[in-house]
Amino acid sequence: MNDLSRFQRYGLAILCCAVALAVAWPIDAPASSFLLAVTVSSLVGGLGPGLLCAALCAIAFDVLFLKRVFQPAFLPTDSLRIVVFLATALLVAGLLEMKRRAEEAGKRAEEDLRAAREDLAHLSRVTAMAELTAFIAHEVNQPIAASVTNANACLRWLAGDTPNLEEAREATRSIVEAGTRASEIISRTRLFFKTGMPQRELVDMDEVIDETIVLLASEATRYGISIRTSLASGWQKFTADRVQLQQVMVNLIANSIDAMKDVDGARELAIASERTAGKEILVSVSDTGVGLPPQPTAEIFDAFVTTKRHGTGLGLSISRSIVQAHGGRLWATPNTPRGAVLQFTLAIEDEPLDRHS
């Protein structure tokens, strides 16, 4: 209907009435023909064209059929016939308009819900980045400080009576390496702020895990947490949104770090990946922290449920939505002797691709 102009919709109503009249006249079946015309006009044109068609059909029904049959006398029952027909036509037009508006409202609600989910996912990333700002700044500060140190060393090697060019070149190479590392950290951080529709590409989950560990390594070091990895997902690339999967890993690892930073004893974070027999990748993040909360485990994935003092309760909920959108599931179990294990699966493609392709 949205593809037709206002003039075309009303013109269609007149055409429907004319076609119904042409069909009804020779077979003397006006009611069914005219009601069909009103139905088509309402479905295609909306309420206005439907009412116009109903009015035209009512006039044709009265003038061309009732008076043709009951001439010369026009009885009161004839008026009742036209009233019943008109009421039926108006009811059909009204019901079809209500149906159309309900469908449009449903479509708008779906679009609003989809937009709200995208905004919520973006908000979750921004909220997570607010929590990550301190140790990202610390991570970037290290290569910057190294660059300054190497630059001063380079100046000293060049300022001597006999400049040591080899040492100066080595210091310069170190500056380049530190600058490259700082640039990579900033690039990963900028990707995390991206919004809009998910961007699907071929992704290696082990690479995503490695990149996330680099991003959070300084935070783990700050709290004396050791990180152990066992990545053996088969080097299989699959179609996914890389930034969203990194968001899941950041949420899970950050939660584990937060759960361990105040505990006594060993603080160990173990991250593993493997390819299952069911053509899936299984990723697990286990810690030796405070463990799962006392409420049922499934509730920790509900929106706005959090055990953190300043938490939003969105991280795990958004992570579960992302995993489900990638054909997998996310769940949590207790760790032994203490802590928690969060695991999720992802659907992968049938044919493996080379990791370095």
Side-chain angles (χ1 to χ4, degrees):
M1 186 186 69
N2 295 331
D3 296 333
L4 298 178
S5 66
R6 185 183 183 89
F7 175 79
Q8 289 173 327
R9 293 199 298 270
Y10 280 95
L12 178 63
I14 298 174
L15 179 61
C16 286
C17 182
V19 172
L21 178 59
V23 173
W25 183 263
I27 63 176
D28 196 22
S32 57
S33 300
F34 287 149
L35 285 177
L36 179 60
V38 173
T39 301
V40 173
S41 300
S42 300
L43 281 175
V44 179
L47 181 60
L51 294 177
L52 174 61
C53 186
L56 294 176
C57 290
I59 294 172
F61 186 61
D62 178 36
V63 174
L64 299 178
F65 288 91
L66 290 181
K67 292 183 178 179
R68 181 180 75 167
V69 175
F70 297 103
Q71 287 287 7
F74 190 77
L75 302 176
T77 54
D78 301 339
S79 299
L80 180 60
R81 291 173 184 268
I82 191 62
V83 169
V84 170
F85 171 80
L86 185 58
T88 305
L90 293 177
L91 178 62
V92 169
L95 290 176
L96 290 174
E97 177 66 13
M98 291 174 60
K99 177 178 180 294
R100 183 184 65 82
R101 291 185 178 181
E103 290 176 348
E104 291 181 352
K107 291 180 180 179
R108 286 194 299 268
E110 289 179 0
E111 293 174 357
D112 292 342
L113 180 59
R114 182 166 55 252
R117 286 174 176 171
E118 292 176 5
D119 292 341
L120 187 61
H122 184 220
L123 174 63
S124 176
R125 290 199 296 271
V126 174
T127 303
M129 285 307 302
E131 298 175 359
L132 295 173
T133 298
F135 52 85
I136 288 177
H138 179 265
E139 187 73 18
V140 174
N141 185 64
Q142 290 179 342
I144 292 176
S147 296
V148 173
T149 301
N150 286 311
N152 288 328
C154 183
L155 290 175
R156 287 196 301 271
W157 292 119
L158 295 176
D161 294 336
T162 303
N164 191 329
L165 298 182
E166 183 60 31
E167 293 291 348
R169 278 194 292 269
E170 184 63 29
T172 303
R173 280 194 291 269
S174 298
I175 293 173
V176 172
E177 293 175 357
T180 301
R181 173 172 169 75
S183 176
E184 290 175 349
I185 295 172
I186 293 172
S187 296
R188 295 193 193 101
T189 305
R190 290 180 61 189
L191 283 175
F192 209 62
F193 280 105
K194 287 175 59 180
T195 186
M197 295 300 293
Q199 301 296 318
R200 297 273 178 156
E201 58 181 306
L202 286 178
V203 174
D204 184 331
M205 191 62 208
D206 289 353
E207 290 181 355
V208 173
I209 294 173
D210 289 335
E211 292 171 356
T212 309
I213 291 174
V214 171
L215 190 64
L216 300 174
S218 61
E219 180 74 352
T221 301
R222 178 184 304 177
Y223 294 107
I225 299 172
S226 62
I227 300 178
R228 176 169 50 86
T229 61
S230 176
L231 307 181
S233 64
W235 297 346
Q236 173 122 2
K237 290 188 177 182
F238 59 102
T239 303
D241 186 298
R242 188 184 195 91
V243 175
Q244 287 189 344
L245 293 185
Q246 188 182 55
Q247 178 182 356
V248 172
M249 292 306 304
V250 166
N251 285 336
L252 299 187
I253 295 176
N255 282 345
S256 293
I257 292 175
D258 187 73
M260 289 188 288
K261 63 184 182 182
D262 295 324
V263 300
D264 296 327
R267 301 175 182 178
E268 299 177 352
L269 175 63
I271 304 172
S273 69
E274 62 179 287
R275 180 174 178 177
T276 68
K279 294 182 179 179
E280 292 180 323
I281 290 179
L282 173 64
V283 179
S284 64
V285 178
S286 60
D287 61 62
T288 56
V290 295
L292 297 174
Q295 69 257 38
T297 302
E299 291 185 4
I300 67 174
F301 299 103
D302 294 340
F304 308 113
V305 174
T306 180
T307 57
K308 297 180 181 179
R309 181 179 302 176
H310 303 292
T312 62
L314 295 176
L316 289 179
S317 176
I318 293 298
S319 297
R320 182 177 61 177
S321 298
I322 292 173
V323 170
Q324 290 176 344
H326 286 79
R329 63 188 185 96
L330 172 64
W331 69 97
T333 56
N335 195 15
T336 303
R338 72 169 191 271
V341 180
L342 281 93
Q343 297 175 287
F344 64 89
T345 58
L346 298 169
I348 59 176
E349 297 174 348
D350 291 336
E351 296 182 3
L353 296 176
D354 184 78
R355 180 177 182 133
H356 303 289
S357 60

